[in-house]
């Protein structure tokens, strides 16, 4: 029987402990739940709140990350995920960590941050939403038997669809709660 935990509302620490690869899980239903939670996490925040630094320090010494940086970061990974899934479906290789700034993911992340800099929250929300729709469309083309049987394929597809959002929600949700408490 499928776990009855509501991905949208259960404590995030409970959600990240779920074995999303268990045979009774529905990969795309789980993805929809994690996306709904992620995209709802910032509902009602002012654009000014999106820009406040202090959500998390930069791993490579850049300025502190804000909510807009975190959401844009997810958008950058969605775009990368769409590209590498399309490449693999066309007969190319699945990526390895070394494909991302030689394996220095913190540097790769900071480089992507610059690509989204200067965008307003509404633009980031729009781009991330559109990027998510593209990613889900291409991910649905991954043969289910390949997703089920290949650890590398599963980990890359899961990461850009579920895991990364859930990972960042551990940071975003408490931050947003603080912002809401401040009024």
């Amino acid at each position: 029987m499928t776990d009855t935990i509501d991905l949208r509302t259960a404590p995030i620490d409970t959600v990240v402990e779920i074995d999303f690869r268990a045979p009774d899980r529905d990969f795309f239903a789980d993805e929809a739940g994690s996306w709904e939670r992620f995209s709802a996490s910032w509902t009602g925040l002012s654009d000014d709140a999106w820009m406040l630094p202090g959500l998390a320090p930069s791993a490579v010494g850049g300025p502190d990350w804000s909510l807009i940086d975190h959401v844009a970061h997810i958008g950058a990974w969605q775009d990368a995920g769409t590209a590498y899934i399309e490449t693999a479906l066309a007969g190319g290789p699945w990526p390895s960590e070394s494909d991302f700034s030689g394996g220095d993911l913190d540097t790769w992340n900071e480089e992507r941050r610059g690509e989204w800099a200067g965008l307003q929250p509404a633009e980031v929300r729009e781009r991330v939403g559109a990027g998510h729709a593209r990613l889900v469309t291409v991910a649905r083309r991954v043969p289910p038997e390949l997703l089920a049987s290949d650890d590398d394929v599963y980990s890359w597809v899961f990461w850009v669809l579920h895991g990364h959002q859930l990972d960042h929600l551990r940071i975003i949700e408490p931050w947003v709660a603080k912002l809401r408490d401040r009024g």
Side-chain angles (χ1 to χ4, degrees), residues 46-111:
S46 71
D47 285 357
D48 289 341
W50 275 70
M51 309 304 253
L52 291 172
L55 177 56
S58 167
V60 293
D64 282 355
W65 285 48
S66 62
L67 177 61
I68 197 168
D69 293 318
H70 272 273
V71 175
H73 167 80
I74 296 297
W77 272 102
Q78 287 177 160
D79 294 346
T82 298
Y84 66 62
I85 293 169
E86 286 175 336
T87 296
L89 290 172
W94 285 92
S96 70
E97 281 193 21
S98 66
D99 294 325
F100 301 93
S101 297
D104 184 348
L105 296 177
D106 291 331
T107 296
W108 189 89
N109 290 333
E110 202 67 33
E111 291 166 352

Side-chain angles (χ1 to χ4, degrees), residues 75 78-79 81-83 85-86 116 126-141 161:
Q78 287 177 160
D79 294 346
T82 298
I85 293 169
E86 286 175 336
W116 291 68
E126 184 178 317
R127 283 181 61 176
V128 168
H132 175 258
R134 285 190 303 275
L135 176 60
V136 170
T137 297
V138 74
R140 286 185 175 281
R141 293 179 29 226
L161 280 175

